[in-house]
Amino acid sequence: MEQILLDFDLRVMAPELVIVSAAALLSIIDLLLKESRSRKVIGWFGLAAVVLAGVFVAMAFGHEPYQILADTYRIDSFSLMFKAILLAGTAGVFLFSLASGKEEWKSREGEYYYLLLTALLGAMVMVSSADLITLFVGLELLSLSSYILVGIRKERGEANEAAWKYVVLGGVSSAFILYGMSFAYGLAGSTSLFEISQRFAEGMGGSGHLFIYLSLFLMMVGFGFKVAFAPFHMWAPDVYQGASTPIAAFLAIVSKTAAFAFIIRVLLVAYSPLMSDASWLEVVSWMLMIVAALSMILGNTIALRQTNAKRLMAYSSIAQAGYLVVPFATIGLVPFDLFPSMLFYLVAYLFMTFGAFVVIEFVTKDRGHGGISAFAGLSRRSPWLAAAMTLFLISLAGLPLTAGFFGKFYLITSTLFNNQEWLAAVMILTTIVSYYYYFGIVRQMYFRPPYSDQKVPVPWLATIAILLGVGGTIGLGLFPEPLLTFIGELDWTSVLSIASNGAPQ
């Protein structure tokens, strides 16, 4: 029977409907408000919409997987967990943006807030998609919104340069992904990931086998640009430096999380037949392991020479992407082993990275430049701010009793379990290298004289944001088991199966 959108239970799409409705409503409100009126009310409404969407996501856990429109859009444990991370990260960025009160975007403040919502909507579409078309639509909605957000401070030359580089390289990456998708569609005759998987399983022999791998490699090049792992990382430092700090945090957390969800959907569903083939372990796993090792090595070593705080965080983000690629390298051996370790690390990464960016924003704003030297003597000026930044840095470095320590511990344990000792060794050695540049900021805070005796002014909203980061970093460091247990109890097998309860009754 022919089905239309209204035949389905649209309550399962409540989070997406809240976000798209809020974005549309806020754009109209922005048009109707007088130019002299502050647009902060739009930011508060946007934050409320994100929180409401988060409530709907939380309520959806524990229900059976659901699909609409011939399984092109799925609501399952996978999509819900990733949406929870995306919504938490975006809520933090809204709070951060409202606290920072950037003068550069005052005339475009309304657009700034509802572009954040459209970017979030694109990310949410990506994590729920089981079809190449909806995946690409979600990807481009996220990408186009991000391009504008990076360049929204158009009076600043560095923002224009960052936006231009981001648009050009983002367009190239989208072209690679689309070209890979075109091969997949040509080989399978369908855009559904499940039907592609079935056709790939039937056509693994002969020249079809080579074209299947070609489509995967083309998409992996595009994924490399989106996630910013080596050797496709060159855009990240300039974009992070040129973008406003809240948007740099958004790219580091929300955009990266959505891109990893995209990779998992494609690998675990469309290309799952390759995992039973011997060449997967000989070709794809080694390719992923080399990419992971390169990202960790290049990200951590180049970060040693950075003097700008946001550029340092960009190279740190490249290294962190390398750590997160590690579970994919052994995905053919234990397909569902990647979820607990990867999702735990993504949640930990959210708290520690978000908190670090908030501190960087207000310390560098007070000093008037973005150099690491802006942190000089911070422990004497604002001891609590220095303590919070120290916590975030040691968590990023992976020291014990922090969320980052357990995140890296589980990733390394998973790697050793899959007999990839050399990759675990690279993770450990590059983590040790990262101590130098992370503790370079700590050295500035505790062992350099301050340029002023005045406290760093931190608005109360920013204080809340920092405390949330501190709470999450310490909480996951002291009590990692509840989150791991929750992730482990979710139904991850639904990622590979077609939901049966999506058809209208």
Side-chain angles (χ1 to χ4, degrees):
M1 183 178 69
E2 185 178 352
Q3 302 170 10
I4 61 173
L5 186 62
L6 295 179
D7 291 329
F8 298 91
D9 184 1
L10 295 182
R11 289 175 297 179
V12 298
M13 292 188 67
E16 289 88 342
L17 294 174
V18 166
I19 298 301
V20 71
S21 300
L25 179 62
L26 294 180
S27 64
I28 295 172
I29 293 174
D30 183 41
L31 289 172
L32 296 178
L33 283 177
K34 294 181 179 179
E35 289 187 11
S36 58
R37 292 289 301 273
S38 171
R39 262 58 178 176
K40 278 195 179 294
V41 63
I42 294 178
W44 283 109
F45 274 118
L47 177 59
V50 173
V51 172
L52 179 59
V55 171
F56 283 121
V57 167
M59 292 170 58
F61 278 106
H63 294 280
E64 291 293 320
Y66 195 91
Q67 61 87 11
I68 65 173
L69 299 178
D71 216 7
T72 59
Y73 203 82
R74 298 172 61 85
I75 293 85
D76 51 20
S77 297
F78 175 88
S79 64
L80 291 172
M81 192 66 204
F82 272 92
K83 283 177 190 176
I85 298 173
L86 295 173
L87 288 163
T90 308
V93 172
F94 265 98
L95 198 64
F96 187 3
S97 302
L98 288 164
S100 64
K102 286 284 186 182
E103 292 298 326
E104 299 98 324
W105 67 53
K106 280 295 182 184
S107 61
R108 297 170 293 279
E109 192 173 10
E111 293 97 321
Y112 172 85
Y113 289 122
Y114 52 76
L115 280 169
L116 276 176
L117 290 180
T118 58
L120 170 63
L121 179 64
M124 294 172 71
V125 169
M126 285 170 63
V127 303
S128 274
S129 295
D131 188 273
L132 295 179
I133 294 175
T134 49
L135 275 171
F136 192 75
V137 168
L139 174 66
E140 287 307 288
L141 182 56
L142 169 62
S143 299
L144 292 172
S145 301
S146 299
Y147 301 153
I148 301 170
L149 287 168
V150 168
I152 201 165
R153 304 184 300 170
K154 60 183 181 181
E155 292 83 5
R156 302 187 60 163
E158 61 180 8
N160 291 328
E161 180 185 354
W164 175 246
K165 289 180 179 178
Y166 197 22
V167 168
V168 172
L169 292 176
V172 170
S173 68
S174 294
F176 271 102
I177 292 173
L178 198 58
Y179 195 30
M181 286 181 172
S182 69
F183 275 102
Y185 173 72
L187 291 166
S190 174
T191 56
S192 168
L193 297 183
F194 291 97
E195 291 189 24
I196 290 172
S197 176
Q198 184 178 350
R199 299 295 185 274
F200 282 0
E202 297 168 355
M204 288 294 291
S207 60
H209 185 271
L210 297 176
F211 282 107
I212 290 171
Y213 275 103
L214 176 60
S215 68
L216 174 60
F217 292 150
L218 286 169
M219 279 196 266
M220 287 306 299
V221 171
F223 294 152
F225 281 105
K226 297 298 182 184
V227 178
F229 53 63
F232 313 108
H233 63 282
M234 65 289 293
W235 61 269
D238 291 332
V239 171
Y240 279 44
Q241 183 178 2
S244 64
T245 311
I247 296 306
F250 182 86
L251 296 177
I253 298 168
V254 177
S255 184
K256 191 179 295 290
T257 299
F260 273 110
F262 192 147
I263 296 172
I264 293 175
R265 281 285 189 201
V266 172
L267 279 180
L268 277 188
V269 182
Y271 292 90
S272 57
L274 297 181
M275 295 178 194
S276 60
D277 190 71
S279 59
W280 174 273
L281 297 179
E282 297 171 359
V283 179
V284 181
S285 287
W286 272 102
M287 177 192 71
L288 293 172
M289 285 190 283
I290 291 171
V291 164
L294 273 176
S295 300
M296 291 184 280
I297 293 169
L298 290 177
N300 283 307
T301 54
I302 300 177
L304 295 173
R305 299 179 58 85
Q306 301 307 308
T307 57
N308 182 277
K310 286 202 288 184
R311 287 186 73 87
L312 185 148
M313 290 299 294
Y315 282 107
S316 169
S317 175
I318 293 163
Q320 303 293 340
Y323 298 130
L324 285 164
V325 172
V326 168
F328 292 100
T330 54
I331 196 172
L333 300 176
V334 185
F336 296 103
D337 187 50
L338 73 92
F339 288 112
S341 57
M342 169 178 258
L343 285 168
F344 183 92
Y345 197 79
L346 280 172
V347 175
Y349 181 70
L350 184 159
F351 286 112
M352 56 194 182
T353 303
F354 171 69
F357 271 113
V358 177
V359 177
I360 288 170
E361 164 71 1
F362 291 98
V363 171
T364 56
K365 182 179 180 181
D366 176 69
R367 187 66 177 89
H369 66 80
I372 294 172
S373 59
F375 288 86
L378 185 63
S379 63
R380 301 179 210 175
R381 300 179 58 202
S382 300
W384 76 271
L385 201 59
M389 188 62 176
T390 302
L391 174 67
F392 299 136
L393 291 172
I394 65 174
S395 184
L396 285 164
L399 291 181
L401 299 181
T402 62
F405 167 76
F406 282 104
K408 288 185 179 178
F409 174 78
Y410 294 129
L411 290 175
I412 292 171
T413 302
S414 175
T415 306
L416 291 172
F417 179 77
N418 288 292
N419 300 315
Q420 299 297 336
E421 291 83 1
W422 74 272
L423 192 57
V426 172
M427 293 180 70
I428 294 169
L429 291 174
T430 53
T431 297
I432 294 171
V433 170
S434 72
Y435 294 167
Y436 182 84
Y437 63 83
Y438 287 133
F439 281 92
I441 299 178
V442 176
R443 185 170 61 249
Q444 289 285 339
M445 292 190 293
Y446 289 93
F447 300 105
R448 296 290 184 271
Y451 81 96
S452 168
D453 294 329
Q454 299 295 318
K455 286 188 175 182
V456 175
V458 180
W460 65 274
L461 281 175
T463 302
I464 293 174
I466 293 170
L467 290 176
L468 288 173
V470 168
T473 304
I474 294 177
L476 290 177
L478 296 177
F479 308 103
E481 196 60 35
L483 178 59
L484 282 169
T485 302
F486 176 75
I487 295 171
E489 290 176 349
L490 295 175
D491 177 22
W492 298 113
T493 59
S494 62
V495 177
L496 288 176
S497 61
I498 298 178
S500 59
N501 61 347
Q505 301 298 319

